[in-house]
Amino acid sequence: MSIASTENGRSSLWREIPKSTVLIMRSHSLHFYALSSLFLFPIFFILVVYPSFHLALFHPDYDFTIFDQLSLSSFEIVSLIMFTLSLALFFLCSVAAITHSAVQAFHDRPINFISSIKSIKNSFFPLLSTLIVSLTIFISIALALALFLLFLPQILRNLGLIELNNDSNHFWFSLILVLVPVLLWLQVNWSLAYAIAAVESKYGFETLRRSAYLVKGMRWVAFWTHLFYGLVIGAMVIGTNVVFVLLGAAKGNNWRSFSVTSQIVQCTVLGALGMNQFLVLNVVLYMYCKDLNGEKLHFEYLSLPLEDDEKNHDVV
């Protein structure tokens, strides 16, 4: 039996993919909680805590009502670079370990914590090359569009078609209006790239090209899953940062208050769990896309009913 030939056809995949994701996570909940605590928890803790502490440490008197541009010292730039590198390191390790575990669980193979950690060694450099290539393309497109929109009014003015308008707000609005759909389309086509890099050990542009090939026919599923998790997790992290920064949560002893610490813990835990579920769902989407493209899979795991998953024991 093929996934693509199920009773309700491709429309059933909207239900089958989340169902399989829940089954995998519930059957090995302790294992995925352990991986989340080790790799994803630090990511969201840093994302929530760092901006407030950075401003409190380097710009304690900054007035947010003026919206004046911040001047960054060389030490601040180094700290931001270290902050970004630490996030990237934890992210790549989390993708490698969780993807390995999800694939093993999908095929109903035994999984354990040590083997998941060891899988990072084999997947790290393919994942790193994929991250570098995709970010390079994203940044190149953003810069190209920015330059195009920056010089377009001047070109049109020289041609006598429009009057020159130096409104910077209009420039940023136009840039966002053009850039977001382009980057979102690329992200949807490359949504399986990290799963491919971790499972198939492919590098760089090859993972992006294979992802665009596999995701054909499932782009709407990839779009809505990325949009949902991106909006929920992004809104939670950004909203918490804005509140903490405006309230000066890192100044004085405010960070020790129960309201601040409880919000930090809540946002960190929910963000880690949400990201964990997204990574597992992305692996399941990758498996279904492989089947839709004629690449055979094992279906033992999918045959397990959700009602029986509590009988399975977690292997951590």
Side-chain angles (χ1 to χ4, degrees):
M1 177 181 178
S2 172
I3 296 175
S5 60
T6 52
E7 183 179 349
N8 296 320
R10 292 193 177 189
S11 61
S12 66
L13 296 180
W14 289 90
R15 298 185 300 272
E16 291 298 327
I17 292 175
K19 180 179 177 181
S20 300
T21 302
V22 172
L23 175 58
I24 290 174
M25 296 195 66
R26 288 178 59 185
S27 299
H28 304 277
S29 57
L30 292 180
H31 178 85
F32 286 107
Y33 289 158
L35 292 178
S36 297
S37 300
L38 184 60
F39 297 118
L40 295 177
F41 191 93
I43 291 177
F44 287 92
F45 181 79
I46 295 172
L47 286 174
V48 171
V49 170
Y50 180 82
S52 297
F53 277 86
H54 180 92
L55 290 174
L57 181 62
F58 295 106
H59 306 278
D61 300 323
Y62 182 75
D63 188 359
F64 290 93
T65 61
I66 301 178
F67 295 102
D68 192 17
Q69 185 176 1
L70 288 172
S71 58
L72 300 179
S73 64
S74 57
F75 183 76
E76 285 182 80
I77 295 175
V78 172
S79 66
L80 287 172
I81 293 175
M82 297 302 296
F83 164 75
T84 304
L85 291 178
S86 63
L87 291 180
L89 178 62
F90 279 114
F91 171 73
L92 294 177
C93 292
S94 67
V95 172
I98 293 175
T99 299
H100 170 82
S101 301
V103 170
Q104 295 297 105
F106 188 93
H107 293 300
D108 197 24
R109 299 167 184 160
I111 61 176
N112 62 74
F113 188 77
I114 300 301
S115 65
S116 297
I117 299 300
K118 288 182 178 180
S119 68
I120 297 174
K121 180 179 65 175
N122 298 326
S123 304
F124 183 81
F125 288 105
L127 287 169
L128 178 61
S129 67
T130 301
L131 176 65
I132 293 174
V133 171
S134 60
L135 286 180
T136 301
I137 296 176
F138 281 144
I139 295 173
S140 300
I141 292 176
L143 290 177
L145 287 175
L147 291 174
F148 174 76
L149 293 176
L150 185 64
F151 291 106
L152 180 62
Q154 183 67 40
I155 296 174
L156 295 178
R157 178 182 178 275
N158 293 335
L159 295 175
L161 299 178
I162 63 169
E163 294 293 331
L164 182 63
N165 187 358
N166 293 321
D167 188 2
S168 61
N169 293 329
H170 177 72
F171 165 76
W172 288 111
F173 176 78
S174 301
L175 178 62
I176 294 174
L177 191 64
V178 176
L179 187 60
V180 170
V182 174
L183 296 185
L184 186 59
W185 181 82
L186 289 176
Q187 180 60 41
V188 169
N189 281 276
W190 298 344
S191 57
L192 306 179
Y194 291 111
I196 293 170
V199 177
E200 304 179 14
S201 297
K202 295 185 181 297
Y203 286 78
F205 185 75
E206 188 179 1
T207 62
L208 306 181
R209 183 174 57 184
R210 177 155 170 76
S211 175
Y213 164 74
L214 287 179
V215 84
K216 288 187 300 184
M218 297 286 284
R219 286 192 178 96
W220 280 111
V221 179
F223 170 77
W224 287 114
T225 55
H226 278 70
L227 184 65
F228 173 76
Y229 284 97
L231 288 177
V232 171
I233 297 176
M236 180 173 56
V237 173
I238 294 174
T240 304
N241 271 292
V242 170
V243 172
F244 286 172
V245 168
L246 293 180
L247 295 179
K251 294 181 179 179
N253 293 323
N254 292 341
W255 63 273
R256 296 182 178 180
S257 66
F258 175 77
S259 60
V260 172
T261 56
S262 62
Q263 289 183 54
I264 290 175
V265 172
Q266 182 180 13
C267 182
T268 302
V269 172
L270 292 178
L273 294 178
M275 189 64 181
N276 189 358
Q277 188 178 55
F278 170 75
L279 292 177
V280 175
L281 186 145
N282 209 48
V283 173
V284 175
L285 177 63
Y286 161 71
M287 293 296 188
Y288 276 79
C289 287
K290 285 186 65 177
D291 181 74
L292 289 174
N293 285 275
E295 301 179 18
K296 299 300 181 181
L297 299 173
H298 298 287
F299 305 101
E300 296 89 347
Y301 196 91
L302 295 179
S303 64
L304 295 176
L306 275 172
E307 293 78 5
D308 294 338
D309 54 358
E310 292 182 357
K311 300 178 183 179
N312 297 329
H313 298 283
D314 296 284
V315 180
V316 181

